[in-house]
Amino acid sequence: MSVTRRDFLKLAGTIGAGAVLGTYKSEIASVFAQAADDGVKLVWLQGQGCTGCTVSLIQGTHPDLYDAILKLHVDIPFHPAIMAASGKEAMDTLDAVKPDILVIEGSVPDAEYCEVGGRPFIDVVKTMAAKSGVVVAVGSCSAFGGIPAAKGNPTNARSVSEVLGKTVVNIPGCPPHPDWMLLVVASVVLGIIPELDDKGRPVAFFSEEIHENCARRGYYDRGDFAKDFTETDMSYEKCLWKVGCKAPITRADCSVRKFNNGVNVCMNAGAPCIGCADPGFPDSASPLYVELEKVPTFVGIDTDTAGKVAIGAAGVGIAAHAVRRGIKKHPKSKEE
Ligand code: FSX
Ligand code: SF4
């Protein structure tokens, strides 16, 4: 079965790109082959980050990076971690290229804290964005500030959209799932700008809270909560809410997409979600292993989180107080 570009657009528009891409993993390769023969120029910049986003990218399987480059006809003249060139040769390449897609990994601090080829990273970001087609911010650092912008923020780390003063395609996650990065790039190459939410995230991947489709959701609904980390193994049949799971306020499709080639996801492995894809991460999720309602930022101090709860209350997702009421109502809940 092959999927034409027209089918792809039609399906993506009706049932969501995520569902299309998940269902037609192998067929998507045939769509890639229809991409322009000219080649698409993609430049990848790295600022304040840990390179985890790039490491995640190269674990991609649907498509893998090889397919993405060869079948999408993507030319990547500049990527600090994987290109062969270095020094002046690398910077000359950067100066010469006019990218169709500019991908930025890592947050953007004040000029003195981060340089690329001896130039302030913030200047390189602005210069390259001005001559690029689509700007994609990968990772929570680039999309929302992330760990470098955590409380205190001594380097004045900011997101790409803050620095550029405009909306970009944001793919959060620390790190993001490789599918999110590769499939967004695939869409852009095919001329499809993914539908974005009010925080610039592709709705195909970030429209529901992770909690909605968690394999432990039944234990949550029954009020069976792990009391500590001696009960987080899946065999205990407990929900991780009380050991700090942040999935009820974190939007992403991790529960169904899973990581490591679809093998597993944090909660199934006994680790509560730490909310790494949340716009307020890490402050909104800290302390990481403390029950959500005991996290100070969650009860209204943090304006971003407060806004998100309001969105949930409007019907898009779970509202904090609805979560709490749901637990309290249950006869087995220890909160009663
Ligand atoms: Fe940030 Fe990329 Fe977290 Fe790391 O560099 S999103 S720290 S996984 O990898 O930017
Ligand atoms: Fe799963 Fe966490 Fe929700 Fe419990 S609170 S059902 S572990 S996502």
Side-chain angles (χ1 to χ4, degrees), residues 6-198:
R6 192 164 158 273
D7 290 336
F8 184 94
L9 286 165
K10 194 172 160 194
L11 283 165
T14 53
I15 64 171
V20 174
L21 298 170
T23 307
Y24 297 98
K25 282 171 184 166
S26 58
E27 291 81 3
I28 286 166
S30 70
V31 179
F32 291 165
Q34 298 172 36
D37 282 334
D38 311 353
V40 173
K41 292 220 170 343
L42 185 151
V43 163
W44 187 294
L45 299 175
Q46 291 182 298
Q48 270 184 318
C50 71
T51 308
C53 306
T54 289
V55 171
S56 181
L57 175 78
I58 57 182
Q59 307 297 323
T61 46
H62 302 303
D64 62 22
L65 193 56
Y66 178 85
D67 276 350
I69 292 172
L70 290 189
K71 295 184 178 171
L72 279 166
H73 305 275
V74 175
D75 176 19
I76 308 180
F78 191 94
H79 186 309
I82 60 175
M83 66 186 173
S86 62
K88 184 174 183 308
E89 186 189 347
M91 296 310 288
D92 286 349
T93 303
L94 191 62
D95 289 337
V97 68
K98 191 172 179 305
D100 299 295
I101 305 172
L102 176 66
V103 179
I104 300 171
E105 172 181 2
S107 56
V108 190
D110 284 346
E112 63 267 40
Y113 296 111
C114 185
E115 293 185 343
V116 174
R119 305 173 195 171
F121 183 59
I122 188 168
D123 293 349
V124 176
V125 166
K126 287 179 176 173
T127 303
M128 293 307 296
K131 61 173 179 170
S132 298
V134 177
V135 178
V136 181
V138 302
S140 291
C141 306
S142 178
F144 301 124
I147 291 173
K151 196 172 174 187
N153 193 358
T155 65
N156 194 25
R158 281 154 289 163
S159 67
V160 169
S161 59
E162 276 180 284
V163 163
L164 295 180
K166 67 172 193 176
T167 301
V168 302
V169 179
N170 283 329
I171 307 177
C174 193
H177 194 292
D179 287 6
W180 302 339
M181 295 183 272
L182 287 167
L183 296 175
V184 165
V185 169
S187 296
V188 172
V189 168
L190 292 167
I192 307 163
I193 301 297
E195 182 188 348
L196 306 177
D197 68 10
D198 63 345

Side-chain angles (χ1 to χ4, degrees), residues 220 291 293 319-329 335:
Y220 172 89
E291 185 181 339
E293 287 187 304
H321 305 299
V323 171
R324 188 175 175 81
R325 278 200 301 275
I327 294 167
K328 280 196 148 187
K329 269 186 208 155
E335 288 196 0

Side-chain angles (χ1 to χ4, degrees), residues 283-284 286-287 290-302:
D283 294 341
S284 63
S286 300
V290 169
E291 185 181 339
L292 194 51
E293 287 187 304
K294 293 176 182 159
V295 173
T297 52
F298 188 63
V299 294
I301 297 167
D302 176 79

